[in-house]
Amino acid sequence: MTVYLKTPSADDRIKFYDKQAEQAKKQGVRKKDIPPWIRTEIVFRREKSHEFVRQYLALDIELIDLVKGYLKAKVKFYTDDEFKTPLRAWVKFLGKSRPFSISIPKTKSGLLKKFDWYFHHGAIAVYHAYLFCIENHLLSHDERISYEEKEVLFPPDLASELQKRATQYGRTELLELIVDMTKKATFRTGD
């Protein structure tokens, strides 16, 4: 049995799993003849991995104590439904470690995050494939016309980011143009 805390893409993913069944099979014995064998893993990625290593190198602390401190700050187990009585085995496992957390300040605006997504997650490749098809006559006349007739409008959240950027750069004359190029909200009736 495996329990994952956070999504697979998270910068700090914690995983708990019981190796009891695996060990029983490996040793050729019944599962109930082996005590539970709970394993805890943390995976740090991207900026959090750099910050974790930086903290480890800067602090005079054993690696296991730093990891336990991170777990102490992030994960709590309780034995009751009111979340008042901590799980004694978890408290014992963490011991006297000091709670430790990693916070990475956000450095990019919403607009720059959208640009990162566009350039690094495939959308620009699709756009270039479209241009390639146009330049090399790989679209029929009807296909080409159906795309050329489409009016490109900004979704409201992107338009808001563009308005912030235009204002930040003192280009307020662009605000009305951005509003004109923004998708209008559609309202559903009868809900």
Side-chain angles (χ1 to χ4, degrees):
M1 179 189 318
T2 304
V3 175
Y4 295 94
L5 303 183
K6 295 196 176 181
T7 62
S9 61
D11 288 351
D12 58 340
R13 190 171 195 213
I14 300 170
K15 174 169 95 169
F16 299 97
Y17 57 99
D18 191 345
K19 294 179 63 92
Q20 182 184 40
E22 175 192 17
Q23 291 302 312
K25 184 177 180 182
K26 189 176 185 180
Q27 295 176 27
V29 297
R30 295 177 305 174
K31 184 178 169 185
K32 67 180 185 178
D33 293 333
I34 302 262
W37 184 339
I38 308 297
R39 185 161 180 155
T40 305
E41 291 183 5
I42 302 176
V43 175
F44 292 107
R45 293 187 180 99
R46 295 176 278 277
E47 292 92 359
K48 282 206 175 174
S49 63
H50 294 287
E51 182 60 20
F52 183 83
V53 170
R54 192 183 72 69
Q55 289 290 330
Y56 174 64
L57 295 174
L59 299 170
D60 183 25
I61 189 172
E62 293 290 325
L63 182 59
I64 188 69
D65 291 328
L66 188 63
V67 170
K68 285 181 178 182
Y70 188 80
L71 288 170
K72 188 178 267 189
K74 293 290 184 181
V75 181
K76 301 196 181 348
F77 292 107
Y78 297 93
T79 59
D80 62 324
D81 293 339
E82 291 83 34
F83 304 106
K84 292 183 179 178
T85 309
L87 179 66
R88 191 176 275 174
W90 184 245
V91 172
K92 183 179 176 184
F93 169 72
L94 296 177
K96 294 183 179 185
S97 59
R98 282 192 1 242
F100 164 74
S101 61
I102 300 172
S103 60
I104 306 296
K106 294 185 178 184
T107 56
K108 294 186 178 181
S109 69
L111 185 61
L112 292 180
K113 286 180 184 175
K114 286 175 175 54
F115 290 163
D116 280 351
W117 174 84
Y118 178 75
F119 283 98
H120 300 293
H121 294 282
I124 196 166
V126 173
Y127 176 70
H128 282 285
Y130 169 75
L131 292 179
F132 179 83
C133 288
I134 294 291
E135 291 169 0
N136 294 288
H137 309 288
L138 298 175
L139 294 176
S140 71
H141 176 74
D142 291 341
E143 289 171 327
R144 198 176 73 247
I145 294 299
S146 71
Y147 291 116
E148 289 175 358
E149 291 175 351
K150 299 286 184 204
E151 180 182 17
V152 177
L153 297 174
F154 304 126
D157 62 327
L158 179 58
S160 176
E161 293 291 336
L162 288 170
Q163 288 173 325
K164 287 179 195 172
R165 179 58 62 120
T167 302
Q168 179 184 357
Y169 280 82
R171 300 291 310 275
T172 55
E173 76 277 5
L174 297 174
L175 296 178
E176 189 175 327
L177 178 60
I178 294 169
V179 169
D180 291 342
M181 294 177 69
T182 301
K183 288 181 186 175
K184 306 304 178 233
T186 56
F187 298 99
R188 293 173 30 184
T189 59
D191 289 338

